[in-house]
Amino acid sequence: MISDEILYRRYLDGEDKAADTLVEKYGDTLTLYINGYLKDIHEAEDLMIEAFSQLFAKERPIEDEGSFKAYLYKTARNLALRHKQKHRIRFLRFDELTFAPKSDTLADTELLRSERDRQLYAAMEKLKAEYREALYLVYFENMSYRDAAAVMAQTEKQISNLVYRGKQSLKTILEQEGFTYADE
């Protein structure tokens, strides 16, 4: 499998199909990430296109594994923050995100999972915005702490602290709502 960084380099060398591959790979998830800031899917789609446009227009020296995704999300984040500041719209609401169930799961299991997810997103909504964003990038976007740090303009240690504190706060919120843990 070709890395994102190689695809980006191929695009810069004139291979348009490489750009299509990157947009296809990240377009939907990036749109959802931006929509978390804007709460307007159409504006999020526009900013997703703008983020790719900026990245493709400026020949950035993106070399390290994972750098393309981190740079793309950082660009999108900056665009969303500027747009949000201009339009004063709230940050991420996880309870409005939907996920398609796997076709091979039982209906009851999926119902329990979707209820659990709904409650988790509701609890995450109560977190401080910086905790919520760090958890989202690390656990939903599967970014490394280094890449999440690049997106949020923080150090890896700060991201580590945000994730730790976010998980602790989330645990407290869930415990207050009556959740218990299987390992206890």
Side-chain angles (χ1 to χ4, degrees):
M1 181 165 197
I2 300 172
S3 75
D4 299 338
E5 293 73 24
I6 290 173
L7 285 170
Y8 178 66
R9 176 58 38 210
R10 284 184 178 177
Y11 168 76
L12 294 178
D13 291 339
E15 188 179 322
D16 290 338
K17 190 173 181 178
D20 295 341
T21 303
L22 289 167
V23 172
E24 187 175 307
K25 182 175 181 180
Y26 291 113
D28 292 341
T29 56
L30 187 62
T31 300
L32 289 175
Y33 175 70
I34 296 168
N35 189 50
Y37 282 98
L38 306 182
K39 308 310 315 151
D40 182 339
I41 195 71
H42 301 293
E43 287 292 324
E45 288 171 345
D46 290 346
L47 288 183
M48 178 270 298
I49 292 167
E50 179 66 22
F52 275 107
S53 296
Q54 283 188 15
L55 196 61
F56 292 147
K58 300 175 184 176
E59 295 188 20
R60 299 288 183 197
I62 299 174
E63 308 272 331
D64 298 332
E65 186 73 28
S67 297
F68 178 84
K69 184 177 181 180
Y71 193 84
L72 175 64
Y73 274 72
K74 183 175 184 169
T75 300
R77 180 179 190 263
N78 289 338
L79 288 169
L81 287 173
R82 270 188 248 126
H83 185 277
K84 181 182 154 196
Q85 187 176 36
K86 197 188 238 184
H87 295 90
R88 298 178 196 243
I89 297 176
R90 289 181 30 182
F91 182 68
L92 201 54
R93 288 187 51 88
F94 282 105
D95 60 337
E96 293 176 6
L97 294 177
T98 58
F99 298 95
K102 296 179 182 174
S103 61
D104 60 329
T105 58
L106 298 172
D108 290 344
T109 303
E110 191 54 44
L111 181 62
L112 290 172
R113 183 176 294 132
S114 67
E115 177 61 17
R116 183 194 67 209
D117 289 349
R118 188 193 62 72
Q119 291 171 332
L120 174 63
Y121 299 141
M124 287 189 73
E125 185 63 30
K126 296 176 184 177
L127 292 174
K128 290 172 67 175
E130 60 187 354
Y131 295 166
R132 185 173 48 242
E133 184 174 11
L135 289 171
Y136 179 83
L137 291 172
V138 171
Y139 291 104
F140 288 85
E141 290 298 328
N142 297 317
M143 285 190 183
S144 67
Y145 283 25
R146 185 177 119 226
D147 291 343
V151 171
M152 293 180 66
Q154 305 277 332
T155 66
E156 283 184 63
K157 179 65 176 162
Q158 288 171 318
I159 294 298
S160 176
N161 289 340
L162 289 172
V163 168
Y164 175 78
R165 290 181 189 136
K167 286 173 27 179
Q168 293 302 109
S169 295
L170 188 59
K171 182 179 179 182
T172 301
I173 291 166
L174 290 172
E175 285 173 346
Q176 289 171 350
E177 294 178 5
F179 283 87
T180 57
Y181 299 92
D183 60 344
E184 291 182 356

Coordinates of all heavy atoms in Angstrom, one line a residue, residues 16 24 28 47 55 59 76 85 92-93 95 107 132-133 158 169 176:
D16 N -2.5 13.5 -11.2 CA -3.8 13.9 -10.6 C -4.5 12.8 -9.9 O -5.2 13.1 -9.0 CB -4.7 14.5 -11.7 CG -4.1 15.8 -12.2 OD1 -3.4 16.5 -11.5 OD2 -4.5 16.2 -13.4
E24 N -10.5 10.8 -1.7 CA -11.4 9.6 -1.5 C -11.1 9.0 -0.1 O -12.0 8.7 0.6 CB -11.2 8.6 -2.6 CG -12.2 7.5 -2.5 CD -12.0 6.5 -3.7 OE1 -12.0 7.0 -4.9 OE2 -11.9 5.3 -3.5
D28 N -14.5 12.1 3.5 CA -15.7 11.9 4.4 C -15.4 12.1 5.9 O -16.1 12.8 6.6 CB -16.3 10.5 4.3 CG -17.0 10.3 2.9 OD1 -17.3 11.4 2.2 OD2 -17.2 9.2 2.5
L47 N -15.4 23.5 3.4 CA -14.1 23.6 4.1 C -13.2 22.4 3.9 O -11.9 22.6 3.8 CB -14.3 23.9 5.6 CG -14.8 25.3 5.9 CD1 -14.9 25.5 7.4 CD2 -14.0 26.4 5.3
L55 N -3.7 22.5 0.7 CA -2.6 21.5 0.8 C -2.0 21.3 -0.6 O -0.8 21.2 -0.8 CB -3.1 20.2 1.4 CG -2.1 19.3 1.9 CD1 -1.3 19.9 3.0 CD2 -2.8 18.0 2.4
E59 N 3.1 23.6 -2.0 CA 4.0 22.4 -2.1 C 4.7 22.3 -0.7 O 5.8 22.9 -0.6 CB 4.9 22.5 -3.2 CG 4.2 22.4 -4.6 CD 5.1 22.3 -5.7 OE1 6.3 21.8 -5.5 OE2 4.7 22.6 -6.9
A76 N -7.5 21.8 8.1 CA -8.9 21.9 8.2 C -9.3 22.5 9.6 O -10.3 23.2 9.6 CB -9.5 20.4 8.1
Q85 N -15.1 31.3 14.3 CA -15.0 32.6 14.9 C -15.8 33.6 14.1 O -16.4 34.5 14.7 CB -13.5 33.0 14.9 CG -13.2 34.2 15.7 CD -11.7 34.5 15.7 OE1 -11.0 34.2 14.8 NE2 -11.2 35.0 16.8
L92 N -17.9 20.7 18.6 CA -18.4 19.3 18.3 C -19.5 18.8 19.2 O -19.4 18.9 20.4 CB -17.1 18.4 18.6 CG -17.0 17.1 18.0 CD1 -17.2 17.1 16.5 CD2 -15.6 16.5 18.3
R93 N -20.5 18.2 18.5 CA -21.6 17.5 19.2 C -21.6 16.0 18.7 O -22.1 15.7 17.7 CB -22.9 18.1 18.9 CG -23.1 19.5 19.6 CD -24.5 20.0 19.4 NE -25.5 19.0 19.8 CZ -26.0 18.9 21.0 NH1 -25.6 19.7 22.0 NH2 -26.9 18.0 21.3
D95 N -23.2 13.5 19.8 CA -24.5 12.8 19.8 C -25.2 12.9 18.4 O -26.1 12.2 18.1 CB -25.4 13.2 20.9 CG -25.7 14.7 20.9 OD1 -25.0 15.5 20.3 OD2 -26.8 15.1 21.5
A107 N -29.4 -7.7 15.7 CA -30.1 -6.4 15.9 C -30.1 -6.0 17.4 O -29.9 -4.8 17.7 CB -31.6 -6.6 15.4
R132 N -12.2 16.8 24.7 CA -13.1 16.2 23.7 C -12.3 16.1 22.3 O -12.3 15.0 21.7 CB -14.4 17.0 23.5 CG -15.4 16.3 22.6 CD -16.7 17.1 22.6 NE -16.7 18.5 22.4 CZ -17.1 19.4 23.3 NH1 -17.6 19.0 24.5 NH2 -17.0 20.7 23.1
E133 N -11.7 17.1 21.9 CA -11.0 17.1 20.6 C -9.8 16.2 20.7 O -9.6 15.4 19.7 CB -10.5 18.5 20.3 CG -9.9 18.5 18.9 CD -9.5 19.9 18.4 OE1 -9.5 20.9 19.2 OE2 -9.2 20.1 17.2
Q158 N 1.5 17.5 26.1 CA 0.2 18.1 26.4 C -0.9 17.3 25.9 O -2.0 17.2 26.5 CB 0.2 19.5 25.7 CG 1.1 20.5 26.4 CD 1.2 21.8 25.6 OE1 1.4 21.8 24.4 NE2 1.2 22.9 26.3
S169 N -12.0 12.4 33.2 CA -13.3 13.2 33.3 C -14.4 12.4 32.8 O -15.5 12.4 33.3 CB -13.1 14.5 32.6 OG -12.2 15.3 33.2
Q176 N -21.1 8.9 37.3 CA -22.2 9.6 37.9 C -23.5 9.3 37.3 O -24.6 9.4 37.9 CB -21.9 11.2 37.7 CG -20.8 11.7 38.6 CD -20.5 13.1 38.2 OE1 -20.9 13.7 37.2 NE2 -19.6 13.7 39.1

